Amino acid sequence: MNQRIGLGYDAHRFGGAGPVVLAGVSIDHDRGIEATSDGDLVAHAVCDAILGAAAIGDIGMHFPSSDPQWHDVASLDLVSRCVAMAYDRGFELANADVTVIAQDVRIDPHREAMRVRLAEALRVSIGQVSIKASPPDRLGWIGAGDGLAAMAVVAMQR
């Protein structure tokens, strides 16, 4: 069996009014995310992890922010498209593991809803999706409350 691992990362600064969208779940926050799409950095990191595992580029290559068709898109739709691209090349997802790095956006009350929404987009069971949070303890630009980031790892197999 051909197994692959993919790593994805995304970061955005805060800007404008909230909410913040993570893994397709709207989280009340006084500020939103600066982005051309819905700014769902969990979805963006997962997209890059899938594309990397399948060795088919990155999110910017397939969904460039310079193309108006991707403005205000629901990022979980991009996840579904990335899954379809990987499936077309014979890959299926074994699991996805995501870490959200945020100082003031609380993940815990939304974790299960995030797992459900992400699992649906990935076409897998909720038991194959993990979402964790890691606050930076006021260190760096994320710790100063200027934005947030996410890292994702996926395992895929042929």
Side-chain angles (χ1 to χ4, degrees):
M1 181 183 315
N2 186 4
Q3 295 182 344
R4 303 273 189 98
I5 305 296
L7 173 66
Y9 172 83
D10 195 28
H12 288 278
R13 67 177 74 229
F14 286 119
V20 170
V21 176
L22 296 174
V25 174
S26 184
I27 299 172
D28 286 335
H29 196 268
D30 60 338
R31 293 179 291 166
I33 298 294
E34 288 183 13
T36 53
S37 68
D38 63 4
D40 187 337
L41 52 103
V42 167
H44 300 168
V46 169
C47 282
D48 268 341
I50 292 166
L51 296 169
I56 51 177
D58 61 37
I59 192 170
M61 182 178 125
H62 292 281
F63 315 106
S65 58
S66 60
D67 187 336
Q69 74 174 312
W70 306 121
H71 290 204
D72 299 321
V73 70
S75 296
L76 282 186
D77 291 344
L78 303 181
V79 171
S80 294
R81 289 171 184 261
C82 290
V83 168
M85 285 186 258
Y87 280 21
D88 287 347
R89 287 159 180 82
F91 291 101
E92 65 179 50
L93 189 85
N95 75 299
D97 183 24
V98 177
T99 301
V100 177
I101 305 159
Q103 186 63 51
D104 297 318
V105 176
R106 296 291 167 226
I107 302 306
D108 195 51
H110 310 282
R111 183 185 328 269
E112 291 311 303
M114 292 168 65
R115 290 179 67 214
V116 167
R117 296 289 311 276
L118 189 55
E120 289 170 354
L122 292 169
R123 302 184 208 172
V124 298
S125 73
I126 191 172
Q128 293 169 272
V129 177
S130 171
I131 296 180
K132 307 176 303 299
S134 180
D137 296 326
R138 305 270 175 220
L139 296 172
W141 66 274
I142 296 173
D146 293 334
L148 61 161
M151 295 183 296
V153 176
V154 302
M156 301 191 85
Q157 57 198 17
R158 272 206 175 145

